[in-house]
Amino acid sequence: MSDATKLYAQNGDPVFPRIVLPEIPNLAQIETYESNGGYGALKKALSMDPAAVTDVVKKSGLRGRGGAAFPTGLKWAFMPKGNEKAKYLAINADESEPGSFKDRQILEFNPHQLVEGILIASYAMGIKAAYIYIRGEYYKWYKILEKSVEEAYSRKYIGENIAGSNFSVDVYVHRGAGAYICGEESGLMESLEGKRGYPRVKPPFPAQNGLWGNPTTINNVETIANVPAIIWNGAEWFAKIGAEKHPGTLLYGVSGHVNKPGVFELPSGTLLTDLIYKYSGGVIGDKKIKMVIPGGSSMPPLRGDQLEGVKMDAESLKGAGSAIGTGGVIVMDEDTNLTKVLLRITKFYWDESCGQCTPCREGTGWMKKILQRMYDGGGKVEDLDLLVRVANNIEGNTICALGDAAAWPVKFTIQRFRKELEEELASQERSAAA
Amino acid sequence: MFTEENLRRVEEIKNRYPKPMAALLPVLWIAQEQFGWISEETMHYVGGLLGLPFNHVLGVVTFYTMYNKKPVGKYNIQFCGNISCMLRGADNLIEHLEHKLGIKVGETTSDGLFTLKEVECLGSCGTAPMMQVNNDYYEDLTSEKVDNLLEEFRKQAQR
């Protein structure tokens, strides 16, 4: 397995590759990265036609790792071909979805592979400038990125006539200031332009009308960090790893009631139960699991007795009634108070709602009020239907996906744990009557 | 109002973007670094530097939680209360901090040393519960660890 730790998984091992987090000490240092062959994929890409680079990414089947799992090569192909207007790339390092802490591992341990991926993507799309938008709280990783970008400039990987080619691009690190909504791609662009992070109505899509009205692509950190390995090893190599329709490795972050929480790079389609019991050391105190959120707090939760055989990739999770999201797995044991969990999640979306759309701004507040009443012991059985009604009035009625993200946890937790919640509320009603 | 060094940084940052408005967030960071918080006077000043109306700057400053709209303590404690931290006992630690510091969430100690805030997910779910103090993360916290950190901050402040 030692060969699998090489940069870009250069042995080509499709069984247990470490593509974005190889086990190489001090890889964040540019000397180490280079001596392991780093920036070799960039040179390879520069010897290819830009359209051929996009083609390799398309054929590899790489899908976005930021939540929506959209095909990356296709996204790149949406960008106009000519250079009449300057084109921009924005890298989403705003990692803020509760339960997600994976991109920061790349920023900390393998930042140059991200920078190299940015340069390859920029070459493929003819980008003039790339901006890495990093959440304000990630100060430590912001500093690491600034240093990495500076080093890459000084070695002529970024700037004018990169590595002796006639390709030029600039890369800048841009720090956010605390707003979940800036992880939404159009909110991110507004924020980068120096405004409130209000999501935009789509269409027009970013590839036509993005940053400053120019063609723009927005990609997640982990997505882009995969690109050098794909260019180096070829599309066929990547397509064979993990789940057929969602190939590659995923950075799974496991948190909550497990013995050894952490981030694990494993092939897509890894069993959820393996993630919990094999890699994260099982549940604390050997308790049973009540609920698991498989892909960050916005995704529909699964019941603890429905985890057997569930695989962690986009298609399989859709089949299981949830979604892969950011791969952030939150495990809750049998003693967890579901109302408290829902109240905390709902408070988050209420807090982070940008306030543009009435259903989201008001609806999250109403859900929070009802859940608070339930948590304080003053709930009624009919509150469950009321909550579902409010959630349904938010879902699909907002400019961006934050509305759906707020509605789903409430709606699906009630659907999947109705009996338990009804019993609790019935007993609250009885004690109120007595 | 900015130091010469900071004025030079503003010019460098403006060159990164096709429009000066895009420099607003980075320049507000410089302002907060220099002054500790962002007053209305600072907003007017930053607006002047970038050619932006005061109302736009005000709108941005109030949208983002990390810009301090009023002075904060020397140690700005931002405790994550979101789900993964909550599952691992964040509530108790926040209460513990309130008790230890003699203030409620949102308040600053009378000696100006500590401000306590509960914040949303800081992306440290695997090392929960956790808090950010000024720029730094403190992870895998217990009440003992929190106590030791407070001690350390108090000592640091005396130096």
Side-chain angles (χ1 to χ4, degrees):
Chain A
M1 218 173 78
S2 62
D3 275 352
T5 65
K6 279 189 182 162
L7 193 68
Y8 309 152
Q10 280 166 15
N11 64 330
D13 178 1
V15 182
F16 203 93
R18 298 279 299 264
I19 300 175
V20 294
L21 291 177
E23 289 171 65
I24 302 171
N26 304 318
L27 190 56
Q29 291 172 5
I30 194 162
E31 296 80 11
T32 314
Y33 189 70
E34 280 184 319
S35 67
N36 279 278
Y39 289 103
L42 171 64
K43 287 170 192 155
K44 184 177 176 185
L46 290 172
S47 73
M48 297 162 68
D49 187 59
V53 174
T54 300
D55 224 42
V56 172
V57 175
K58 235 187 197 173
K59 285 197 182 116
S60 75
L62 176 66
R63 293 169 69 171
R65 305 299 199 232
F70 191 83
T72 307
L74 187 61
K75 204 184 222 185
W76 291 10
F78 288 158
M79 290 287 270
K81 297 286 168 294
N83 280 318
E84 299 85 54
K85 277 180 128 182
K87 290 180 271 188
Y88 296 106
L89 174 66
I91 300 301
N92 191 340
D94 193 57
E95 183 157 73
S96 314
E97 170 82 1
S100 312
F101 51 107
K102 58 168 185 92
D103 290 336
R104 72 178 249 204
Q105 316 296 331
I106 296 173
L107 304 179
E108 180 155 353
F109 298 108
N110 199 5
H112 282 289
Q113 194 165 322
L114 170 66
V115 173
E116 188 177 11
I118 291 170
L119 296 167
I120 295 171
S122 298
Y123 175 70
M125 291 181 275
I127 299 296
K128 181 178 187 283
Y131 299 94
I132 307 171
Y133 186 101
I134 182 166
R135 64 178 300 182
E137 294 87 347
Y138 275 8
Y139 185 77
K140 174 180 166 188
W141 299 278
Y142 161 71
K143 284 290 182 197
I144 294 174
L145 270 179
E146 283 227 307
K147 179 170 163 275
S148 306
V149 167
E150 228 168 80
E151 287 170 340
Y153 262 109
S154 72
R155 303 205 177 197
K156 313 274 185 233
Y157 294 125
I158 312 179
E160 300 283 317
N161 300 104
I162 291 167
S165 71
N166 53 15
F167 173 64
S168 306
V169 68
D170 281 305
V171 179
Y172 303 109
V173 188
H174 187 100
R175 191 174 166 214
Y180 169 71
I181 196 59
C182 295
E184 197 277 342
E185 62 177 19
S186 61
L188 184 151
M189 291 191 295
E190 287 288 302
S191 177
L192 226 164
E193 290 182 6
K195 305 172 196 159
R196 295 178 153 227
Y198 283 162
R200 300 175 182 173
V201 178
K202 286 177 260 189
F205 291 98
Q208 274 74 51
N209 190 337
L211 281 167
W212 304 289
N214 291 39
T216 303
T217 291
I218 301 104
N219 284 134
N220 164 265
V221 167
E222 185 189 345
T223 312
I224 288 295
N226 272 286
V227 169
I230 292 171
I231 295 302
W232 189 262
N233 296 306
E236 292 73 23
W237 164 78
F238 189 81
K240 268 187 249 156
I241 302 165
E244 196 191 333
K245 289 185 174 161
H246 188 195
T249 59
L250 293 176
L251 293 183
Y252 299 107
V254 186
S255 66
H257 295 138
V258 289
N259 285 309
K260 285 187 273 178
V263 171
F264 308 93
E265 179 173 9
L266 293 164
S268 60
T270 295
L271 282 171
L272 177 53
T273 46
D274 276 356
L275 269 179
I276 297 168
Y277 293 103
K278 199 166 148 190
Y279 296 101
S280 308
V283 182
I284 298 172
D286 280 328
K287 285 185 189 172
K288 284 191 191 139
I289 297 175
K290 180 177 279 184
M291 183 160 99
V292 173
I293 302 178
S297 68
S298 308
M299 298 304 148
L302 299 171
R303 286 178 61 93
D305 54 16
Q306 288 174 345
L307 307 180
E308 220 44 61
V310 171
K311 288 182 177 175
M312 291 291 289
D313 62 84
E315 307 306 316
S316 308
L317 273 172
K318 206 189 277 174
S322 188
I324 187 73
T326 56
V329 177
I330 308 171
V331 178
M332 290 165 248
D333 71 24
E334 55 189 324
D335 297 328
T336 307
N337 178 339
L338 289 181
T339 307
K340 188 178 179 191
V341 168
L342 279 185
L343 175 60
R344 191 61 191 78
I345 292 178
T346 301
K347 180 187 166 283
F348 170 71
Y349 291 108
W350 168 76
D351 226 1
E352 299 294 348
S353 172
C354 79
Q356 275 191 108
C357 312
T358 311
C360 172
R361 183 187 63 235
E362 302 299 321
T364 50
W366 280 106
M367 292 199 301
K368 183 170 115 11
K369 261 187 216 166
I370 299 163
L371 284 160
Q372 184 71 55
R373 181 167 75 202
M374 285 164 58
Y375 181 66
D376 293 339
K380 301 184 182 112
V381 176
E382 64 192 46
D383 282 343
L384 296 178
D385 287 332
L386 184 58
L387 278 170
V388 172
R389 254 203 333 271
V390 178
N392 282 337
N393 278 320
I394 302 174
E395 191 183 346
N397 291 324
T398 54
I399 289 174
C400 83
L402 192 143
D404 298 351
W408 285 354
V410 172
K411 201 172 134 170
F412 286 101
T413 304
I414 292 174
Q415 187 192 85
R416 288 167 192 176
F417 293 88
R418 186 146 198 132
K419 195 160 160 271
E420 175 182 334
L421 289 164
E422 269 178 2
E423 277 167 15
E424 160 65 20
L425 290 168
S427 101
Q428 287 186 11
E429 280 188 46
R430 278 194 302 276
S431 32
Chain B
M1 287 211 312
F2 271 177
T3 60
E4 248 174 62
E5 162 68 7
N6 281 343
L7 283 171
R8 197 194 53 73
R9 281 167 75 195
V10 170
E11 284 313 304
E12 191 271 313
I13 287 167
K14 272 160 79 175
N15 285 329
R16 298 177 175 189
Y17 312 96
K19 296 201 174 143
M21 187 190 277
L24 181 53
L25 267 68
V27 172
L28 286 171
W29 275 122
I30 294 175
Q32 182 150 305
E33 223 177 84
Q34 189 176 325
F35 307 116
W37 66 292
I38 296 171
S39 64
E40 282 200 10
E41 195 191 348
T42 304
M43 291 183 222
H44 279 289
Y45 177 70
V46 167
L49 282 178
L50 299 176
L52 301 171
F54 167 77
N55 280 353
H56 180 85
V57 182
L58 175 72
V60 166
V61 170
T62 50
F63 186 81
Y64 296 93
T65 55
M66 292 186 78
Y67 294 130
N68 301 322
K69 273 67 83 178
K70 54 183 187 186
V72 293
K74 188 173 166 66
Y75 298 95
N76 186 16
I77 301 178
Q78 301 145 82
F79 212 103
C80 175
N82 213 299
I83 177 160
S84 296
C85 282
M86 182 191 94
L87 292 171
R88 295 181 81 99
D91 295 15
N92 293 338
L93 287 182
I94 292 170
E95 255 177 55
H96 178 78
L97 270 165
E98 286 184 328
H99 178 75
K100 273 268 163 179
L101 298 172
I103 52 172
K104 292 273 162 211
V105 168
E107 295 175 351
T108 300
T109 53
S110 53
D111 58 5
L113 219 45
F114 298 102
T115 296
L116 179 61
K117 293 177 189 164
E118 181 183 331
V119 295
E120 296 299 354
C121 185
L122 291 174
S124 274
C125 321
T127 43
M130 64 81 62
M131 64 183 181
Q132 177 167 26
V133 182
N134 299 340
N135 288 325
D136 300 322
Y137 277 23
Y138 298 89
E139 301 169 278
D140 287 316
L141 294 176
T142 58
S143 51
E144 293 76 42
K145 272 194 193 173
V146 167
D147 291 349
N148 291 338
L149 283 167
L150 291 184
E151 262 323 292
E152 214 172 283
F153 293 142
R154 282 202 173 98
K155 272 188 211 150
Q156 263 177 29
Q158 276 169 5
R159 268 179 232 143

